[in-house]
Amino acid sequence: MPLIEVKELSFSYEKSSNLKKQDLSNINLNINRGEIIGLIGPSGSGKTTLVQQIGGLLRPDHGTVLFDGLDIFKDSKVFRKLRYKIGLVFQNPEEQLFSETIFKDIAFGPHNMGLSRDNIAKRVLEAINFVGLDKSILSKSPFEISGGEKRRVAIAGVIAMRPEILILDEPTVGLDFEGSRSILSYIKQYNRENKNTLILISHNMDDIINLTDKVAVMSAGEIKAFGKTGKIFADPVLLHSLKIDVPEITKIMKKLKEKGFNLKDSVFTEREALQEILRLKYTI
Amino acid sequence: MQDVFFGQYYLTDSIIHRLDARLKIALTLIFAVLSFLIENYAGAMYFFIFVFFIIMLSKVPFKIYFKSIKMVLLIILFTSIMNLFYSDGPIIFAIGSIRITQTGMENSAFIALRLLLLFFVSSILTYTTSPSEFTHGIESLLRPLSVFKVNISNLSMMITLALRFVPILLNEANKISAAQKARGAQIDSGNLKKRVEALGGVIIPLFLVSFKKANDLAVAMESRCYSCERNRTKMKILKFKKIDYSALLFSLAVIVAFLIFNFQI
């Protein structure tokens, strides 16, 4: 049984003249335990709205979201238990920090779960470790650390609840290269160690290729394609028709090919590119 | 908190939208005052018919009005119930020291009607006037105050920004409360203590975000050479057109008829 099963889900925002948000129509999506799913699509295609439904924060108009076979919207008792199993990290999560100390902020989720004091402390330490920060930071105020550190603290606040599925909405946006690479590597490690399920929303195709097993492509409130990451990116017709960007390295390799080098058509990772270039070197 | 709320601009292509903002603001004020002069049910009736006529003309769906009425209904109920108990006159029935009088009943009915009218009249103004038109209108109407060395363009910029920030902050509040809910904050469920606790998680970040946004905006404005000392020119210059004059005449006729009607019968 899939961990998350979205069935014929549709949702529309209340119409107003100013705020334009994308409605969702007929979304079907199955996510298996342990998978890393990438959710891509142009801005305003409904990615954030969809993960808010999966996280149980917005109730769909039609259709259901099943977590481990349980309908999360069916009754509030079931949902209260499930809420902590679905960890949702919003865009710019550093804006939600509010406690006097970082410790208290990370402990907010576990505290709401009603855990014991010792248990909370254990989880806070574990979480801060996962996002690669030193535990000496815990006694500081969340307002005196850098932007990148704030974001890690905010992610730790969700990880501390030990969710079975972690949903990250553009976790690296606005961070420098180093910052985003390290956050992603910690997330990857976290996922590997806990055999967790992960949904990653990103506009950075390098991150998507490097991290995800499967990709769902959204456009205008619908899922236009869903499948293995390698397959989706190997389909030039699909990429073109859905206006999906490709990783930087793919663009470079394409340029090289146009210059007359005998290279493979679709190269997505630096490693592949290196192998290709080396192959070329030895065949000449 | 919903997407549509009291006081938001709702764009349609109606005549009311095209009217001069100054006229709309002035008339709104006049009608607000007049609604408190209503003496009898016939006057209230007359007023309501006029208001609904304008609502029809505004092409803003009734649904939108009724959605935002929910937010003011509590205030209306509260004031009208308070009036019920604090009036003298012939007693209808009494429980202990609580007396309900006939004048009390009438007063509370009228208060409710007046507040409802006030709500509709001001809603028409905010639904049909964009924030920038609104501030231009205010600025132009307040211009005489510059005799007293009040910086009108500064004042109107403040009003514009305050209005502009309402939807932004509402949006931020929604985002932050969703994020806290995802961490198990009980914002709209659970007991009072839990809710108050959870509210801190929304208000503190919102406070910080609003300061940050205000600061960013101030920097952005200054870096584009905004200064309140200099006289700024306008892209849209407010000018009375034919439809404004006819709307003015029509409203005057309605007002005069109301005054005669109200005080003679």
Side-chain angles (χ1 to χ4, degrees):
Chain A
M1 187 178 7
L3 182 66
I4 297 277
E5 212 176 336
V6 181
K7 275 189 195 163
E8 287 159 20
L9 180 144
S10 63
F11 175 79
S12 51
Y13 282 101
E14 272 187 64
K15 288 284 161 283
S16 80
S17 52
N18 294 345
L19 299 161
K20 285 272 175 284
K21 287 179 178 172
Q22 183 59 50
D23 297 344
L24 300 175
S25 57
N26 198 24
I27 302 272
N28 287 291
L29 188 66
N30 283 351
I31 298 171
N32 296 319
R33 217 173 262 277
E35 277 180 341
I36 304 184
I37 306 289
L39 196 53
I40 61 175
S43 297
S45 57
K47 304 184 294 290
T48 301
T49 305
L50 176 59
V51 294
Q52 290 204 34
Q53 318 251 337
I54 295 174
L57 292 169
L58 285 176
R59 182 178 277 273
D61 298 338
H62 300 284
T64 51
V65 177
L66 302 180
F67 181 92
D68 224 355
L70 293 167
D71 185 345
I72 65 169
F73 292 106
K74 202 172 175 191
D75 91 74
S76 56
K77 264 187 199 157
V78 175
F79 180 62
R80 226 165 284 155
K81 277 186 200 149
L82 291 178
R83 163 161 280 170
Y84 302 103
K85 295 188 176 180
I86 307 167
L88 195 51
V89 179
F90 281 81
Q91 268 170 55
N92 300 320
E94 60 277 12
E95 281 173 5
Q96 77 195 24
L97 302 176
F98 69 100
S99 299
E100 307 93 272
T101 65
I102 289 169
F103 182 92
K104 276 194 183 173
D105 218 296
I106 298 175
F108 183 67
H111 172 78
N112 284 331
M113 292 167 80
L115 298 175
S116 73
R117 196 178 283 253
D118 294 345
N119 218 340
I120 291 175
K122 208 177 104 194
R123 287 193 176 201
V124 171
L125 280 175
E126 184 189 275
I128 201 83
N129 197 24
F130 261 124
V131 294
L133 290 172
D134 192 74
K135 64 178 184 230
S136 64
I137 208 173
L138 288 172
S139 57
K140 285 190 186 167
S141 156
F143 306 118
E144 54 176 300
I145 55 177
S146 78
E149 286 172 328
K150 274 187 197 172
R151 184 161 307 177
R152 288 179 192 207
V153 168
I155 294 173
V158 174
I159 286 180
M161 302 190 299
R162 287 198 196 146
E164 286 181 32
I165 177 164
L166 184 64
I167 303 171
L168 297 156
D169 193 349
E170 301 203 42
T172 60
V173 74
L175 294 183
D176 58 17
F177 183 75
E178 277 300 314
S180 55
R181 270 289 149 98
S182 68
I183 280 196
L184 286 177
S185 72
Y186 286 116
I187 288 166
K188 199 172 180 178
Q189 198 186 339
Y190 169 78
N191 181 70
R192 212 182 291 140
E193 280 182 28
N194 295 278
K195 294 191 176 55
N196 257 334
T197 316
L198 191 74
I199 300 179
L200 176 71
I201 297 182
S202 182
H203 284 288
N204 186 328
M205 293 307 136
D206 290 87
D207 295 348
I208 292 287
I209 296 264
N210 281 317
L211 219 60
T212 64
D213 305 319
K214 285 183 184 171
V215 176
V217 189
M218 286 192 79
S219 170
E222 285 175 49
I223 292 186
K224 299 282 186 192
F226 180 53
K228 290 245 157 66
T229 306
K231 257 193 187 151
I232 295 269
F233 280 91
D235 188 343
V237 181
L238 189 74
L239 290 179
H240 184 75
S241 69
L242 293 176
K243 297 195 180 71
I244 303 169
D245 200 13
V246 291
E248 291 304 316
I249 192 72
T250 314
K251 290 179 197 161
I252 295 170
M253 294 297 274
K254 208 179 156 200
K255 281 265 153 67
L256 283 173
K257 201 185 168 190
E258 281 167 11
K259 293 272 179 212
F261 291 98
N262 183 23
L263 292 163
K264 211 165 69 171
D265 245 334
S266 39
V267 173
F268 300 112
T269 60
E270 284 92 349
R271 185 185 291 269
E272 266 185 284
L274 186 68
Q275 279 168 356
E276 270 298 291
I277 291 171
L278 286 177
R279 182 182 63 80
L280 204 64
K281 190 183 166 193
Y282 291 117
T283 48
I284 286 171
Chain B
M1 276 175 268
Q2 295 298 325
D3 284 350
V4 181
F5 59 95
F6 179 49
Q8 196 178 7
Y9 183 48
Y10 191 99
L11 181 69
T12 65
D13 60 345
S14 79
I15 308 171
I16 309 293
H17 283 75
R18 270 180 282 150
L19 289 180
D20 192 302
R22 286 173 298 180
L23 180 68
K24 281 191 275 188
I25 295 167
L27 285 177
T28 303
L29 287 175
I30 292 168
F31 278 104
V33 172
L34 284 183
S35 71
F36 279 86
L37 297 177
I38 295 171
E39 295 271 307
N40 46 42
Y41 291 110
M45 197 57 189
Y46 174 80
F47 226 118
F48 267 108
I49 291 171
F50 173 68
V51 164
F52 282 108
F53 176 63
I54 302 297
I55 288 177
M56 297 285 276
L57 279 183
S58 78
K59 292 188 188 171
V60 176
F62 274 109
K63 216 177 72 187
I64 301 289
Y65 285 93
F66 284 111
K67 212 168 262 169
S68 53
I69 218 170
K70 278 187 232 151
M71 294 183 221
V72 290
L73 210 54
L74 200 69
I75 302 170
I76 294 177
L77 277 177
F78 183 75
T79 30
S80 93
I81 286 170
M82 287 316 271
N83 265 275
L84 196 57
F85 298 123
Y86 293 100
S87 301
D88 294 325
I91 296 163
I92 295 176
F93 71 90
I95 310 161
S97 60
I98 300 168
R99 289 190 310 265
I100 297 202
T101 66
Q102 200 184 339
T103 26
M105 296 261 273
E106 274 176 9
N107 278 348
S108 72
F110 271 110
I111 281 285
L113 283 174
R114 284 170 185 151
L115 288 177
L116 263 179
L117 279 171
L118 199 60
F119 163 79
F120 278 119
V121 169
S122 52
S123 295
I124 293 172
L125 176 67
T126 51
Y127 283 139
T128 63
T129 317
S130 78
S132 66
E133 282 169 0
F134 190 80
T135 31
H136 287 163
I138 295 259
E139 190 179 349
S140 158
L141 286 173
L142 290 180
R143 186 142 302 142
L145 281 182
S146 55
V147 178
F148 305 106
K149 297 241 157 78
V150 180
N151 191 334
I152 303 298
S153 64
N154 220 351
L155 193 71
S156 71
M157 181 54 81
M158 273 157 59
I159 300 170
T160 318
L161 293 183
L163 285 173
R164 182 68 194 81
F165 264 68
V166 170
I168 293 176
L169 290 181
L170 207 65
N171 197 21
E172 287 299 327
N174 278 334
K175 258 170 48 189
I176 294 165
S177 72
Q180 305 299 30
K181 273 191 213 165
R183 296 206 283 164
Q186 294 183 317
I187 290 162
D188 40 29
S189 59
N191 59 32
L192 195 66
K193 187 173 166 274
K194 283 229 168 99
R195 283 193 199 199
V196 171
E197 257 178 33
L199 215 54
V202 178
I203 288 171
I204 295 166
L206 190 62
F207 203 63
L208 287 164
V209 166
S210 59
F211 268 98
K212 189 174 167 287
K213 286 209 188 284
N215 192 41
D216 288 351
L217 185 69
V219 171
M221 282 167 73
E222 275 179 358
S223 62
R224 292 189 214 172
C225 303
Y226 175 81
S227 153
C228 38
E229 262 97 66
R230 244 166 277 154
N231 265 335
R232 294 190 304 133
T233 53
K234 294 261 162 11
M235 192 164 99
K236 274 185 203 157
I237 292 162
L238 293 173
K239 202 172 169 232
F240 260 50
K241 287 173 297 227
K242 226 183 221 167
I243 55 164
D244 296 310
Y245 285 115
S246 25
L248 180 64
L249 273 179
F250 173 68
S251 311
L252 282 178
V254 169
I255 292 164
V256 169
F258 167 75
L259 288 174
I260 294 168
F261 196 56
N262 197 43
F263 291 115
Q264 284 207 336
I265 300 167

